[in-house]
Amino acid sequence: MSKELYLKELERCLRHLPAEDRQAAIDYYRDYIDDAIANGDGDESEVIAKLGSAEELSAGIITDVAISSLSSEESSSTQDDTGRTDKKVKSKHNAATTIWIVILAIFASPVALPVAITLLVLMMVPIIVVASVLFAFFVCMISIIPSSLVLLLSGISILSSQTGNAIVLIGNGLTSLGLSGFIMLFIVWLARAVARAFKAIGRWIVGIVSKKREKV
Amino acid sequence: MVYQLGSGLLDACVLSGVSHGDAYGYTLTQQVRNVVDISESTLYPVLRRLQKDGYLTTYDEAIAGRNRRYYRLTDSGKVKLDEAVRDWESFSSSVDALLMGGNNNE
């Protein structure tokens, strides 16, 4: 197989990866093949045979991108408290991309299709459950904030005529505003816990997948 | 050989290879392959990770009508390598003592 054909094939196998990761891998292996030939390792087809098929090579690349995507997000979240400037450099992929790459890694691996689907479900269930809970809390917030504002405003409007009732209304309004603040904090806390849990699950799954690949 | 390089030691070998200058993917791979049996594709993710962590930078140089990507150690890469060498010295001498020291309990 010629170098160009091999790299085309590799590009096709990596087509679902983020463009930057795909291009970096192709550039590296283009260099690698040229250098192997220049160093007398054989002609194009011999050097390519040593690298293995484009599918095998791409499966390894995808798994490694998944691992680094899961770990780079972790380092960015630990740096959250200290320095925000580092964050953008370190976290290369957002959460959705990470989920996507982990799914790719599962399907690029040599595990059987039923196993792949099971792993996928394992990963998706917590995400869906938690997304629903977060959504429910979000809806609560949306309903609480306007109603507490109405309480506050009506309290203020009758402050001079019915001072007693007005204070009760204002008190209730402030209480529910405070409550929604707590819910907000809870949502943030929950979202962070979920992100950590997802990364742990993702690393576990990718670990299984990459072990499986090494054995083959 | 029954022994394998863990990922920490592999990182150290790559950093050391880069520290000698003019290092690119193919030569680094062959240097490590002279010592342990790794596949031709082992080093790509290692180099990429070390680069992402800021231990390595790259530069391109024109060679025979194309650009070859070279790797260079950054300052934090030098620190990391020194650390790894120190760790290896203490680890390897402990293993030496254990394997070859004989019975020192008396």
Side-chain angles (χ1 to χ4, degrees):
Chain A
M1 193 190 272
S2 81
K3 181 183 84 182
E4 289 310 320
L5 204 65
Y6 184 77
L7 293 173
K8 269 254 149 52
E9 182 69 13
L10 184 62
E11 185 165 10
R12 194 186 60 78
C13 294
L14 298 175
R15 65 191 179 282
H16 297 301
L17 279 187
E20 194 212 328
D21 294 304
R22 179 174 59 238
Q23 200 50 51
I26 291 167
D27 288 346
Y28 177 86
Y29 283 108
R30 180 186 301 279
D31 251 20
Y32 193 93
I33 293 168
D34 287 338
D35 287 329
I37 296 167
N39 281 276
D41 234 13
D43 61 19
E44 256 181 38
S45 60
E46 284 167 337
V47 167
I48 287 166
K50 281 186 200 162
L51 280 175
S53 76
E55 283 85 8
E56 284 162 20
L57 192 62
S58 69
I61 293 167
I62 293 171
T63 313
D64 290 321
V65 172
I67 291 170
S68 84
S69 187
L70 287 165
S71 59
S72 74
E73 284 214 323
E74 167 146 284
S75 64
S76 79
S77 61
T78 50
Q79 272 178 349
D80 237 1
D81 310 324
T82 51
R84 276 175 192 275
T85 43
D86 285 350
K87 200 182 167 187
K88 283 278 180 294
V89 189
K90 286 262 181 176
S91 80
K92 227 159 46 90
H93 302 126
N94 60 31
T97 315
T98 304
I99 292 172
W100 173 236
I101 294 170
V102 171
I103 292 171
L104 286 181
I106 292 171
F107 281 100
S109 75
V111 297
L113 195 61
V115 179
I117 291 170
T118 310
L119 289 174
L120 199 62
V121 169
L122 264 180
M123 196 175 86
M124 294 315 287
V125 164
I127 294 171
I128 292 168
V129 166
V130 163
S132 323
V133 172
L134 284 179
F135 182 71
F137 275 114
F138 185 66
V139 171
C140 282
M141 293 271 304
I142 292 209
S143 53
I144 287 176
I145 291 177
S147 58
S148 49
L149 286 179
V150 168
L151 282 173
L152 266 179
L153 287 178
S154 42
I156 290 166
S157 70
I158 58 168
L159 193 58
S160 52
S161 52
Q162 310 173 42
T163 312
N165 286 339
I167 286 171
V168 171
L169 284 179
I170 292 171
N172 282 340
L174 288 176
T175 307
S176 42
L177 262 186
L179 195 66
S180 64
F182 272 118
I183 294 179
M184 178 96 90
L185 282 178
F186 180 67
I187 290 178
V188 170
W189 174 82
L190 195 64
R192 286 196 172 158
V194 165
R196 274 197 301 276
F198 167 72
K199 280 174 223 147
I201 295 172
R203 273 196 295 274
W204 177 69
I205 289 175
V206 171
I208 292 177
V209 161
S210 59
K211 272 204 196 82
K212 190 91 186 172
R213 184 164 55 78
E214 277 158 20
K215 275 183 203 149
V216 169
Chain B
M1 189 159 81
V2 294
Y3 306 114
Q4 290 183 333
L5 289 187
S7 94
L9 197 47
L10 184 57
D11 286 5
C13 290
V14 171
L15 289 174
S16 162
V18 172
S19 73
H20 300 137
D22 284 346
Y24 50 95
Y26 175 78
T27 47
L28 287 168
T29 304
Q30 300 311 317
Q31 275 171 23
V32 179
R33 274 166 66 84
N34 284 337
V35 183
V36 281
D37 186 27
I38 59 163
S39 84
E40 308 256 351
S41 57
T42 305
L43 246 46
Y44 172 67
V46 176
L47 288 166
R48 194 141 163 79
R49 179 165 41 76
L50 290 173
Q51 203 183 327
K52 247 178 66 185
D53 292 345
Y55 299 130
L56 297 178
T57 55
T58 61
Y59 59 98
D60 290 346
E61 221 168 81
I63 287 283
R66 64 187 179 89
N67 272 328
R68 181 188 277 158
R69 175 146 302 172
Y70 286 94
Y71 295 85
R72 187 179 14 225
L73 220 51
T74 62
D75 287 340
S76 66
K78 281 177 195 135
V79 172
K80 178 93 178 162
L81 176 59
D82 288 345
E83 232 174 68
V85 169
R86 271 200 308 279
D87 282 353
W88 173 251
E89 278 170 350
S90 86
F91 177 70
S92 69
S93 61
S94 313
V95 174
D96 279 351
L98 200 63
L99 287 182
M100 271 117 39
N103 191 355
N104 290 333
N105 291 342
E106 293 166 65

